[in-house]
């Protein structure tokens, strides 16, 4: 049995993340999509393969964006590798973790449009100069009453807001 994850969140860059993450899928993608397209010589091939990887997870724009983001991370990493590698290892790991975490947020959204509303609220708050924590809270508050949320988002939002399990009337 293959070891499928080798501490990917300790990766020092996007390429290394994918060498450590879901290794059986990454190997299959490399062998059957990436290499036949011509390998690492073209940024276009990376973007195509990572977009297809996103579509493998689901047929939605959120997965396409997730795949494209990872593709862009890899392309930009390769273009700036010398500068990237000049940073201390811990900084590289933190930057990689932050980029990957940003891309994961697209898994919260679905085609219902809830993600669009939340991203718009988040973008508005960030554009106004709010700290990231405030921007996230603003996005949650301004979109929490929307009936367009998927059940997965509602479950995640409830955990983040730490809603009580029972109401005050049930406790009396």
């Amino acid at each position: 049995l293959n070891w499928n994850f080798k501490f990917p969140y300790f990766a020092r860059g996007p390429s290394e993340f994918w060498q450590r993450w879901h290794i059986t899928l990454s190997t299959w993608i490399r062998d059957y999509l990436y290499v036949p397209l011509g390998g690492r010589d073209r940024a276009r091939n990376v973007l195509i393969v990572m977009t297809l990887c996103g579509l493998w997870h689901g047929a939605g724009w959120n997965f396409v964006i997730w795949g494209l983001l990872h593709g862009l991370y890899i392309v930009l990493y390769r273009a700036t590798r010398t500068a990237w590698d000049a940073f201390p290892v811990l900084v590289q790991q933190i930057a990689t973790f932050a980029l990957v975490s940003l891309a994961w947020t697209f898994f919260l959204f679905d085609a219902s449009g809830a993600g669009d509303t939340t991203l718009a609220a988040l973008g508005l708050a960030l554009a106004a100069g709010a700290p990231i924590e405030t921007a996230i809270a603003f996005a949650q508050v301004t979109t929490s009453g929307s009936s367009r949320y998927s059940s997965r988002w509602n479950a995640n939002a409830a955990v983040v807001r730490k809603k009580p399990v029972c109401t005050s009337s049930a406790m009396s």
Side-chain angles (χ1 to χ4, degrees), residues 5 25 30 33 47 53 61-62 75 78 93 97 129 136 141 154-155 157:
F5 297 89
L25 174 63
R30 182 196 67 211
L33 296 176
L47 293 174
C53 183
W61 286 110
N62 55 326
V75 168
R78 288 180 179 171
Q93 290 172 323
F97 179 79
I136 291 170
V141 168
N154 280 332

Side-chain angles (χ1 to χ4, degrees), residues 55-120:
L55 286 172
W56 178 85
H57 284 87
W61 286 110
N62 55 326
F63 298 111
V64 170
I65 293 168
W66 175 84
L68 279 172
L69 272 176
H70 277 283
L72 284 172
Y73 295 162
I74 292 169
V75 168
L76 292 173
Y77 168 74
R78 288 180 179 171
T80 62
R81 184 163 185 162
T82 304
W84 182 281
D85 288 346
F87 288 103
V89 171
L90 183 60
V91 172
Q92 294 174 37
Q93 290 172 323
I94 290 170
T96 301
F97 179 79
L99 291 171
V100 170
S101 296
L102 174 66
W104 280 127
T105 61
F106 289 93
F107 271 77
L108 295 174
F109 306 128
D110 63 13
S112 71
D116 297 340
T117 306
T118 304
L119 279 178

